[in-house]
Amino acid sequence: MPHDIHEGKMHRWNLKSILGLRKNGTQLVILLFATLSGVCLADELVQSAAPNSFPTVPEVLQGHTFADNSERDVFFLREIHKRYSEHWPELLEANISLEEYILSPVKMLQFVNELGIAMAGRDDSVAAAKLALVVSDGRFFTNADAYHPEILRAVAQTLMKLGPNGCGALAASFSESHYRDDSESLEELAKTIGEERPADPGLVKALADTAFNFSTTGGGSYPRCTTEAVKNLLCLPEGAAEVRTHLTTNEIFGDPVRFQAVLDGMESKRVAGLLTNLTAIEAEVRAKLVILTNHPGGYRTALEGLDEQMRRKIEAPGESKQGPH
């Protein structure tokens, strides 16, 4: 049944906000509450009489009725964006913030999901910039006491739904500093990209950089993150072509340990188009091992392990066991 805007008391997503607006030195406070069964205003709402004050919920909804709460929320977001665009940044700021991430993650998650529905295909640069903070600012994903991978995934999905600006913002979150601060959150983002499979060259590059270029402060790499990046890169339309450019002797001989993790990311259903490259590279690795016969050590051991993995991939794609992380 249609939902009235004054039902219920429990908060749903955080239209609850305190937005400080200043005019002539006087602070005007707007408190808005969104509830589980309807959006309603706080009992003691203080609003400016000025023309540019934040609109009341009834003003925005204009008497419309809705099939469910989600439809109502999406309508509200679209109307603010379309008819009250000067308040759009305020609304985003009130609902997408570090404070909400820590204190009200369920409401923030709901808001992000509904924002993705409301703004799908609209390529809103303001929303993209605000969402990007969640996946780029370490205060969100390095806090062990408030880590919410479900919000990171939802933000990534919404950014991709927005359009090129959103995809660009998501791609920019894949940085070496992010990799060093928290590779686990990059794994979550990589998985989400692989599930959505957008045809975006920036995201292809982001996953490729994570898999093949980023390093720890000590010059090493995170094998599990490498594996996830490759696995999900191969889900993208141009992913296999990108991986192929890195299957060279220069890169493999430069870091055979990393390439063991790369091979772990090549699942059977994705690896068929790379078998020719793997076969050629495996022959080069065997030749290198012969040269290193009288030079035992960690490097030769790593090459031996890599060669064994390659042969298993070539002989029975997808059956090689994943290495330790």
Side-chain angles (χ1 to χ4, degrees):
M1 61 179 288
H3 290 264
D4 184 82
I5 64 172
H6 295 292
E7 297 174 349
K9 296 181 180 179
M10 295 182 65
H11 295 201
R12 186 161 181 261
W13 49 257
N14 189 33
L15 258 176
K16 172 189 160 205
S17 61
I18 299 178
L19 303 177
L21 304 178
R22 294 185 177 275
K23 182 179 181 183
N24 299 325
T26 302
Q27 187 168 16
L28 306 171
V29 181
I30 298 174
L31 289 86
L32 296 176
F33 290 80
T35 67
L36 275 170
S37 43
V39 180
C40 66
L41 293 176
D43 292 336
E44 297 181 3
L45 178 65
V46 181
Q47 283 188 288
S48 167
N52 66 343
S53 62
F54 201 96
T56 65
V57 174
E59 285 176 335
V60 177
L61 299 187
Q62 302 179 66
H64 284 80
T65 56
F66 306 93
D68 54 40
N69 293 327
S70 180
E71 183 181 291
R72 179 211 61 218
D73 296 344
V74 168
F75 179 87
F76 185 93
L77 290 169
R78 286 174 176 165
E79 288 299 291
I80 293 293
H81 182 263
K82 180 174 66 175
R83 294 169 46 219
Y84 305 96
S85 58
E86 69 273 20
H87 297 297
W88 182 241
E90 298 170 5
L91 182 61
L92 297 176
E93 178 67 29
N95 291 280
I96 304 172
S97 68
L98 183 61
E99 180 181 5
E100 293 305 312
Y101 180 85
I102 295 172
L103 299 180
S104 305
V106 174
K107 287 182 288 183
M108 182 169 167
L109 176 62
Q110 184 67 35
F111 181 85
V112 169
N113 284 332
E114 291 179 342
L115 180 65
I117 297 170
M119 292 291 104
R122 303 193 181 203
D123 205 27
D124 184 66
S125 60
V126 178
K130 191 61 185 175
L131 288 164
L133 290 176
V134 181
V135 291
S136 300
D137 188 332
R139 292 177 299 171
F140 287 91
F141 48 78
T142 61
N143 188 338
D145 296 324
Y147 178 62
H148 300 290
E150 72 281 5
I151 293 180
L152 299 181
R153 291 191 294 269
V155 166
Q157 288 171 339
T158 296
L159 283 169
M160 286 184 279
K161 287 178 181 178
L162 290 178
N165 276 316
C167 287
L170 179 57
S173 73
F174 284 76
S175 64
E176 192 163 64
S177 60
H178 189 161
Y179 182 81
R180 292 174 176 179
D181 288 341
D182 185 53
S183 62
E184 183 177 343
S185 57
L186 282 185
E187 292 170 32
E188 294 292 343
L189 298 180
K191 291 175 186 176
T192 306
I193 293 170
E195 290 167 359
E196 298 296 325
R197 302 181 184 182
D200 184 86
L203 291 174
V204 170
K205 184 179 185 304
L207 292 181
D209 283 342
T210 304
F212 300 103
N213 297 327
F214 294 162
S215 64
T216 65
T217 53
S221 59
Y222 293 112
R224 191 176 66 191
C225 190
T226 298
T227 296
E228 285 298 333
V230 171
K231 182 167 67 175
N232 290 286
L233 175 58
L234 288 172
C235 292
L236 304 186
E238 299 300 321
E242 177 64 30
V243 170
R244 191 175 292 112
T245 67
H246 295 276
L247 296 180
T248 66
T249 53
N250 284 342
E251 289 199 38
I252 290 174
F253 290 162
D255 194 347
V257 173
R258 182 192 291 266
F259 273 85
Q260 290 181 30
V262 168
L263 286 177
D264 285 335
M266 295 183 181
E267 297 179 328
S268 57
K269 60 183 178 182
R270 307 287 179 195
V271 78
L274 300 172
L275 286 179
T276 299
N277 303 83
L278 289 177
T279 300
I281 290 295
E282 195 274 329
E284 296 281 355
V285 172
R286 275 189 286 112
K288 184 75 168 180
L289 286 170
V290 172
I291 294 172
L292 295 175
T293 298
N294 297 321
H295 300 277
Y299 180 74
R300 191 178 193 283
T301 299
L303 274 181
E304 287 176 332
L306 181 62
D307 184 54
E308 182 181 350
Q309 275 186 284
M310 282 187 171
R311 283 188 281 107
R312 288 202 302 264
K313 285 289 183 184
I314 293 166
E315 294 166 3
E319 294 183 5
S320 61
K321 296 180 180 179
Q322 191 167 346
H325 300 303

